[in-house]
Amino acid sequence: MASAVLLASGLALGGCKEVAPPAAGGTAGPVGPAGGDGRAVSPLDNPDGTKPGLAAITSAGDKAEARALIKKVATKGRGPKTGYARDEFGYAWMDSAPGGVPFSHNGCDSRNDLLKRDGEDVRFRGGSTCVVVSLTLHDPYTGRTIAWTKAHATKVQIDHVMPLSYDWQMGAAHWSKGKREDIANDPLNLIPVDGPTNGAKSDSGPASWLPPNQRIRCSYAVRVAQVSVKYDLPVTPSDKEAMLRQCGG
């Protein structure tokens, strides 16, 4: 799979209408009841990805901080996709990433960890403190609120902010298997979002795809930069330019 990774084992968020996301810079059609940020935190205040959501960056000072971070991102051309397979990054969704990423080795798979992190009114399967069966999600990519029960499927995906096939082309093909497992399960690189919207993203970088919700595009660019810097993984020059533009650069 490219960047879009379906919630496995039938676990997916539902309750929203399908949306046809615009090209970067456009506006999105409605996908459900209007929602807010919920408990979302600015990525500038969430450098390890353990806090929920992706709140908007709005102040001039925070945008300057965002641009300073994005400027640290290295660039290179996108390499070939030859040899890429999802299994090169481990199985979805593992709890055993070896590099000590947050939430790993806690007895709960990374998919459910992310649903617990970002969901509100979370309910679990009887006898479990891991398996989520219902919640409310404030989707940062569309700005809508999704009410979910486990009976619905394929309506939400866990997005790899830096898509795995993109990572492969930008250098992860030469990493150890363990490092690839880390980036695939690191909460810094994972956000539960509206499925159709994320499916439209595929393995695109910020120059060719941005969230329809324009108010969080700077935050999205910052999150890409945070993952890039943490893993010493470059982006293309056009992607970096697009990231800076979202934060006023």
Side-chain angles (χ1 to χ4, degrees), residues 215-236:
R215 65 189 297 272
I216 62 96
R217 287 180 177 178
C218 178
S219 298
Y220 178 80
V222 166
R223 181 52 57 83
V224 174
Q226 288 172 323
V227 178
S228 173
V229 170
K230 177 175 180 177
Y231 286 90
D232 193 23
L233 188 67
V235 302
T236 67

Side-chain angles (χ1 to χ4, degrees), residues 163-202:
L164 300 185
S165 63
Y166 183 100
D167 300 342
W168 182 266
Q169 292 174 276
M170 300 307 293
H174 306 292
W175 291 357
S176 68
K177 183 70 173 289
K179 186 175 180 181
R180 291 197 293 265
E181 290 173 346
D182 285 345
I183 199 171
N185 293 279
D186 191 334
L188 186 65
N189 194 32
L190 297 172
I191 305 178
V193 298
D194 174 66
T197 302
N198 190 54
K201 172 183 172 180
S202 187

Side-chain angles (χ1 to χ4, degrees), residues 7-248:
L7 293 181
S9 304
L11 186 59
L13 299 178
C16 58
K17 299 177 184 177
E18 187 167 343
V19 62
T27 57
V31 295
D37 285 341
R39 299 177 297 115
V41 175
S42 164
L44 295 173
D45 299 323
N46 188 20
D48 62 0
T50 58
K51 298 175 184 177
L54 199 63
I57 294 172
T58 57
S59 74
D62 285 350
K63 287 187 176 182
E65 182 180 347
R67 292 193 299 272
L69 174 61
I70 294 168
K71 288 175 182 177
K72 295 179 181 179
V73 174
T75 62
K76 63 171 276 188
R78 195 161 176 166
K81 197 173 177 178
T82 307
Y84 169 75
R86 174 61 177 86
D87 288 349
E88 294 291 339
F89 291 80
Y91 64 87
W93 296 89
M94 65 194 317
D95 183 41
S96 56
V101 298
F103 304 149
S104 64
H105 302 277
N106 67 355
C108 188
D109 62 81
S110 55
R111 174 196 68 217
N112 280 295
D113 283 331
L114 270 292
L115 295 176
K116 289 190 290 183
R117 183 196 70 183
D118 287 17
E120 294 185 15
D121 304 318
V122 175
R123 298 183 65 183
F124 299 94
R125 187 174 66 192
S128 174
T129 58
C130 172
V131 180
V132 179
V133 297
S134 68
L135 54 74
T136 298
L137 180 73
H138 298 286
D139 171 32
Y141 285 6
T142 63
R144 307 296 184 173
T145 297
I146 302 171
W148 170 78
T149 62
K150 193 176 179 180
H152 299 280
T154 68
K155 290 296 184 180
V156 158
Q157 298 168 3
I158 302 291
D159 181 37
H160 284 100
V161 177
M162 289 194 75
L164 300 185
S165 63
Y166 183 100
D167 300 342
W168 182 266
Q169 292 174 276
M170 300 307 293
H174 306 292
W175 291 357
S176 68
K177 183 70 173 289
K179 186 175 180 181
R180 291 197 293 265
E181 290 173 346
D182 285 345
I183 199 171
N185 293 279
D186 191 334
L188 186 65
N189 194 32
L190 297 172
I191 305 178
V193 298
D194 174 66
T197 302
N198 190 54
K201 172 183 172 180
S202 187
D203 62 354
S204 301
S208 53
W209 187 93
L210 290 165
N213 181 10
Q214 296 186 39
R215 65 189 297 272
I216 62 96
R217 287 180 177 178
C218 178
S219 298
Y220 178 80
V222 166
R223 181 52 57 83
V224 174
Q226 288 172 323
V227 178
S228 173
V229 170
K230 177 175 180 177
Y231 286 90
D232 193 23
L233 188 67
V235 302
T236 67
S238 60
D239 285 335
K240 183 173 181 177
E241 181 181 350
M243 290 159 66
L244 286 167
R245 282 200 307 270
Q246 306 318 306
C247 299

